[in-house]
Structures are given as C-alpha cells and as structure tokens.
Amino acid sequence: MTVERYNSREKEPHWQKVWEDRQTFVVRDDDARDPYYVLEMFPYPSGRIHMGHVRNYTMGDVLARYMRARGKNVLHPMGWDAFGLPAENAAMQNKVPARDWTYANIANMKKQLKAIGLSFDWTREFATCDVAYYNQQQKLFLDFLAAGLVTRKKSKVNWDPVDMTVLANEQVIDGRAWRSGAVVEQRELTQWFLKISDFAEDLLDALDGLDQWPEKVRTMQRNWIGRSEGMRLLFEIVPSPKVTGAAVEVFTTRPDTIFGASFIALSPDHPLAGELAASDPVLAEFIAECHRQGTATETLEKAEKLGHFTGIHVKHPVKDGEVLPVYVANFVLMDYGTGAIFGCPAHDQRDLDFAVKYALPVIPVVLPEGAEPDHFVVGTEAYVGPGKIYHSQFLDGLSVEAAKKKIAEYFGAKQVDGRPQGKVEVNYRLRDWGISRQRYWGCPIPVIHCEECGTVPVPVEDLPVKLPDDIPLDKPGNALDHHPSWKHVACPNCGGAAARETDTMDTFVDSSWYFARFTAPNAANPTDPAIAAKWLPVDQYIGGVEHAILHLLYSRFFARAMKKTGHIGLEEPFRGLFTQGMVTHETYKSVAGEWLAPTEVAFETNGTARTARHISTGAAVEIGSIEKMSKSKKNVVDPDEIVATYGADTARWFMLSDSPPERDVQWTEAGVEGASRFLQRVWKLVAESLELGLPDPAATADAAEILAIRKIAHRTTGNVAEEIEGLRFNRAVAQIYELTNALTRFLPSVAAAPTAEGLSALREGIQRLIQVTAPMMPHLAETCWVALGKEGLVADALWPEVDPALLVEDTVTVAVQVNGKLRATIELPLGAPREHIEQLVLSLEPVARMLEGKPPRKLIIVPDRIVNVVV
RNA sequence: GCGGGCGUGAUGGAAUGGUAGACAUACAGGACUUAAAAUCCUGAGAGGGUAGCCUCGUGCGGGUUCGAGUCCCGCCGCCCGCACCA
C-alpha cells in the first residue's frame, strides 16, 4: 500500500475557505448554548506576525475549538492594538501617513493569521485606531471625568528635549533617551491622570479571589500596589526665621522606634526644602545636583546616601527638651508618603548609612531575643527583626507590634499645630496613572481649554474628536500641536476662542477595555451592558507575562471604573489568566562576530557532536546560546516560511508539543520535522485503514488486542480533554502520540485478520484520534473526517463520549518492593484480596531470598498499587 | 536586598507520597532500496556480570515515612520580577 503524502499547501487554504464561507466561527449573542469567552492578547500591528504570536494564538485556538466541541457557544475574537509610536516613526522615515502604514500592516497580518487556521470570529474585528473605537473611548473618558475618576495635575516627567516628547521610564536608559540619545530632563507638566489609586485597596484585596491566575502575576501585582501600614507623624519645627510652617509631616511604618530617632530627612522636592533653598545657595545647589542624578535609576542602588543640613531643627516628639536636625537627603522620594521621613539608624539600613556618614547618633530601641541590653550594639548593619522595645520609657518591654499600637494611641491624643500629632495610615506604592502623551497617533483626549471657562469637556454630541488626516510630519514632537487649524475651536461653554487638548491617551488605555468592546463591537455606546453581562468575564485570557503588571492592572482598574459608570456589571475582567512562555532559537555567530540567521547556516553532525558553517562562504560558525527570537540576534524564523514549507498544522503541533506552555519553547528544525512526520503518520494511518476491505467471516482475531485498543481510544479521549482544559497541551500531545502508536501497531493485525470487531475497533479508534487531534491540527482533521466518510465538519462535531466501562482495567500490575526498593512486579486481578496478595508476594523468589526464611517485620499492602515488604 | 519560580538521561520534558525517565528529539543497529531520502522494526540512565541479575542514580547535606523527584529544614546554582517605597 502506498499512500500519497498529505499536501497541506493544498488542503489548508481549502478548509480556511470552507470555515469562512460557512461562517463556522461566527458567534451569535442569542445562541442558546453556554457562553464561553476565550481571548488572546491582541497584537500591535507591526506588519508581520512572529512565532510568539503563532504560539499564543494556537493555544487560544485549541481551547476555543475544544470548547466548541464541548457544546459551548465560544466567543473568540481578534483585533488590533493599533495606536502607538512605531507608526509615527514609520511616517517620518517613509513619508507615509501613520494611518496608511497601520492599516496596511493590519491587512498583511490578518492574512498571515488566517493562514494559521485560527477559529476567530472575524466579524467582530476592530482596530483601536478605528474612529468608531476611539469615539467610544472618548465617551468613556467623559464618563470617568464626570464620575471623578480623572484628574489633571502637575507631575514630573522625563522630557526628551530633542524629540520634544515625554518618555516613559522604560524609554530612559542611563539618563538618556533610548531613541535620540539626548540627556533626559525632568520637567513639570500638567497631565491627565486616571485615579487608579482610588481602587488600590480593592485591586489588592481582589487578587486573592483570582484563583485561576498564576501566583506569579498576583504576587507581582501585590508588590506593585505595595500596601504598607504606618503612621503620619507631625514634628513641630523649632521656630526659625527661615521657615513659615509650624510642622513637618513624615510617614513611617516604624513608629515604635520613635525613641531611636536621630534626624529628619526631606526629599529634595519637598516644599520645605524649596523654601529653605531660596535663602541657602548651597542647599539650592545640592537639590539641583540631586535632580541631575535623579533619572539614572539603575545606578541608584550603589549611589551614596547624601544629605545637606538645613540649619533647622524639630522638637523630639517624645523626648522632652531634645531636638532633631532636619536634612535634605537624596534618598527620600517626594511621591511616596509625605516626602519626609524620620531617621532611626539602628533599625533601618538607609538611615544607618546616612547616620554613619554624617556622624548622627545610633540609638538601638529594639532588643533582639536573647541579646543583653548592655551589650547589644548596632554596627554596620541595622537590626530590622523582631524583639522587645527598650530605651523607650513607656514603650519598654513591649513587642514591636504592641508598641506600634501604643504609640499610635499616644500620638493620636496629642495635638500639634491644631491637629492630632499622629494618624494611622495605609500607604500604597501605586500611583495614579498618567495617561497624557505628547503624540499624535493616539486617542485624542476630548477636552477643550478655554481662557474664560478653564478646562471644558467636549460635549458628548460633538464626539468623536477625530484625528486630522493631514498631519504635518516635518517637525519632531506632537504634530497635533503643530497642526495649523486642528486645535483651534470655539469653547463649547462660552463660544469664545479656545484650544483643544493636543495630548493623546497612553495606548494602554486602548487595550484596557477592548475585551469588553468585543462583546458588542458595533454598539452605539462603549458596551451593551446586557450583552456584556452575558459574555464577561473572559473565561480564559492568554498572553505574555510581560503584561503581568501594567496591562492587566489597568484592565482591572478599567473594569471597576466601567462598573462605576454603568458600562459593565463586574469588577474582574479575566477569570482565568494564562501566561505563555517565549519562543527561543539558537543563535549563530560568524568568526567576525556577526550574528547569522538560521537560514545562512548549515550543520554537520558527527555522532553527538554538531558543527556549523556558513552556507555561502563555508567558514566555520559558532553555535551560540539559545535566546528569545529577536531581529537583532537574527535568530528568527518566519511563520510564513514555515507555513509554506510544512503547513500551519505542523507549526501548530510543534508549538504545542514538548514544552509546557508556560515555559519557553525552543524552535528547532528537528522539532518541526518531527511534527511534520507525525502529521504524515496520522494521514497514512487514516488512508491505510480505508484500504482495508470488508470483514472476512473466516478470520479470527485476538479479542484482547481489540479490547485494549478500544480502551486506549476511550482513555485518550478523556485524558486529552482533561489536559486541554488544564492548558497542559504538551501532555495532551503525548497522549495523542500514544494512541497513534497503538493504532499504527494495531492496523497490521486487522489487515491480517479482518474481523468485523477488529475493523470496527480500528475505525472507532481512528475517528477518536482525528477528533482529539482536531483542535490542534484542524485542517488535517477536516481532511481525514471527509476521508472517513463523516458528515459535516469535524469543527462542528461534538467531542466523543467516553464509555466508563472501558476505563476500568480488570488486572493491574502491582509493584513489589523490599525495603522500599523495587524487586518484582506481579499481575493481579483488580481488587485482589490482601491475603491472596500477601501469600503470593512472600512466595516470590526475590522476596523469599531477602527474607532468608524469617517472617517480614512489616508488610504494607496498598491494594491495586504496591506492596512493600520490610525485612 | 526583597519577592516568585526552577534544578530529572545527550536534549525538550513525564511522573494524585507508591514501578523515575511516559511522549518526543537526537543517536546507534537492522529491514526495504542499485543507492540515498522517506518509511518500518529494534536498542539505549550510569556502572558491573556469559547470564539470571546486582550496585548506583532526580543540584548538595540532613530529616519525616514502610516508601521521597514529590513533604520539611539548611545550603549551592540558574531564571524572572521589583528595587532607596521609610
């Protein structure tokens, strides 16, 4: 029997067209089946998909197709995160409008995604740069504004003076702009903020309920939100002509160490520091120096603790008659707590470093357990552990926790400057989300600035605020600002001359609610709350771990804000989250040290040794480390080429095999070959089974073999389902291999003795194989489905039932250990009685030999599993 | 520094506290072929023995248990995230 090879190049486009023509994956809101929402993070339209996309979307697709087979009404949409800087850069470089560049990229990537055979409902597709989408986003903004979820305030930003734009922290490398290389300046700009910090507590608490999220992501978000319990404390300023204020307010988590205080430190940005600098040129210079160093964040960890004494003092709040010096210190941050601290060098490392440098007293007030009060000394390492408070008058003898309570009561009852001196407070690291960007390729912030009326929201009936088509590209910076006419409008309030806000929104805003828009992509409002209620939350969200904090936190905030403004009815947008690993590849370097692409290199193997040389020059090539695929290292593999060579099914299968989905997967030629080989094996199996004739009444077959095949087919059906539901695709793949191997071995026996039972078991097994493989290799499965003479599409077929009777075994292999070491295995009927097992085991040769005629000291019998004889 | 994760054959990786290495890749041998490719079959953790078998083996050292890759304690190494957050 010779079987023609499966031709994916011919079959795959065919089935893609069939699915499209039949609208197989178009989902209706009024479908009676159970809804299930699978979503993969939508891509930025860079122009080409990469293997990471293939992996991400294949995983989602397997789940979506599986859930359809389970009778669910599956929403599996796709769109484009289409605003952003690359389009502006492309526009500048290639003199092509950002819009054109973006939509051309989308068209190309859509074609590429379709060639992968993904079961998306393309009727719901949108791009965030579609006017229809950002129009709704502007409505959301106005609703948030009305609900008090938006503020406008001055804030420090990284300013690139060459490109004339604000940079995100990630875009500043060693104090320089990543693109222009200019030294980044700190500038105060008035910016729009979304008040994510209003929800800090809820965003933190609700993490506990996200039990289908990776622990890692929850932990990262917890740390990012950064809750800490402490106190605000007022320190009364010793009257001085230099200052007008009466007190300095600090935040501390260690009020219990107040008796160990030896100084106060202000942030260089603290208002009091500014006030003092006005009359102190040395201090002013110090503050300026701090600002220069400010952005080189990476070097901060080694940076020396530096300070400048201001000349003023505060009264010690608990030690009568004593005062504490006030410093300005470079390590105190203005935007956390109050921008001022009290230093307790004995119990805080930074304070200790500072105290050592400026010869300030180190007063231990927490005594570790077992330490002698007279001999306990803090040297170069602060003691931050638990212990008993001492040297602290009325706190003496208390634990750290008890002392915190007592001192809180104490300061709560005292008054300074007409206020309670101390107040218990919870502080969060999470800050409000600055969304203003001085870019044009983004969603315009729908606000108008009027000299008379101030900041006026654009009336909702005037929306959308559309981006202009004729964007000037000749100048760096924000083209909306340079545009000759766009920003000049009449004030909606007074009708006078006014100007539009020219900042656009951070692109993270666009991606913070797209999952909700997919539920009603054409609704006249941001959502249709009734439909959103049907679909949300997303049952399974899949994407890269690089979005663990920002995107996923912003989306959680948006869900809350949208609930508050009546757009959706829930707070957590994603019930299940899965973060998949990256796609990696070997790297190659020429002798000259240049990176080489995999296609430029040829390999030779000699036993296990593997060498490489350059294809065109023949020169030796160094095989380097395995890295994430990246253009700079040239270790990328183009999905189009893989699809053209091997087909989408092979690429999909390989992406799912071997590596657990949350870990990195290494793309290798050998691996793809293996996947391709498997696909051909399945096809061959199906084709050969079809060549078998009618049953031969004279034939006799091995009934046990037939039963075994039926059992493995049913078991595989159940196991693959379980593995897919748990997103353990690699294990599902292994199960499918086992079934395939079993069927491949079974086929010749059936061919030799074609009984009716044998043929039926083979056909059933093969049909099951096709169905469990279908979510992963859908084109092959459809082809086989037709070949097997089945009606309709396998994509519409329900997952096969499992006969529970076929899952139980009547015999089991029981392991026999002596002293915990395997010595033998025995075949036993299921549920064999203990006495029978005991007798049998003790008579086994290896057991008897070890026992040397003595009775066993102990005999552990775990029925149907294991026996352990303790000698 | 803090937090999270991970260490298993040549490689990717399996393994509800119960037969370590499923499944795949690479490799070796064989069949088919004039030959190669493809395909099929077989072998294989390491070491020892003609063989039945034996010894060792999941980063290292302890512990709990009849039994530990799995649980506990202490190290070592790698990866990721955050990082002067008072």
Side-chain angles (χ1 to χ4, degrees), chain A residues 59-79:
Chain A
M59 288 179 190
D61 197 50
V62 170
L63 189 66
R65 285 173 180 270
Y66 168 77
M67 285 299 172
R68 274 177 53 80
R70 277 342 275 264
K72 304 274 191 190
N73 185 30
V74 175
L75 174 57
H76 187 214
M78 178 47 70

Side-chain angles (χ1 to χ4, degrees), chain A residues 225-383:
Chain A
I225 296 168
R227 181 180 199 272
S228 53
E229 281 178 32
M231 284 191 84
R232 273 173 185 258
L233 282 184
L234 290 173
F235 286 74
E236 206 178 332
I237 297 171
V238 176
S240 154
K242 293 179 177 177
V243 288
T244 50
V248 181
E249 190 168 33
V250 307
F251 178 73
T252 178
T253 56
R254 294 300 302 273
D256 54 300
T257 63
I258 190 68
F259 285 93
S262 57
F263 64 95
I264 296 288
L266 307 174
S267 162
D269 302 314
H270 196 282
L272 182 55
E275 190 185 342
L276 290 162
S279 60
D280 182 346
V282 185
L283 177 60
E285 175 47 35
F286 175 75
I287 292 172
E289 179 58 31
C290 290
H291 286 161
R292 275 192 289 278
Q293 298 209 332
T295 49
T297 45
E298 288 308 309
T299 56
L300 277 181
E301 80 185 273
K302 285 151 210 147
E304 210 180 344
K305 306 272 177 288
L306 291 175
H308 184 270
F309 178 50
T310 60
I312 64 167
H313 289 85
V314 296
K315 292 184 184 164
H316 197 298
V318 281
K319 289 184 177 172
D320 262 356
E322 288 190 28
V323 295
L324 299 172
V326 178
Y327 282 78
V328 172
N330 65 348
F331 67 94
V332 182
L333 306 172
M334 188 56 220
D335 47 9
Y336 185 79
T338 62
I341 60 156
F342 82 77
C344 176
H347 305 293
D348 183 284
Q349 193 58 47
R350 290 158 304 177
D351 296 349
L352 183 60
D353 295 345
F354 191 80
V356 167
K357 184 160 173 80
Y358 295 102
L360 294 159
V362 178
I363 311 156
V365 292
V366 181
L367 189 65
E369 200 178 338
E372 283 294 321
D374 298 336
H375 297 104
F376 179 61
V377 179
V378 171
T380 55
E381 223 166 277
Y383 179 71

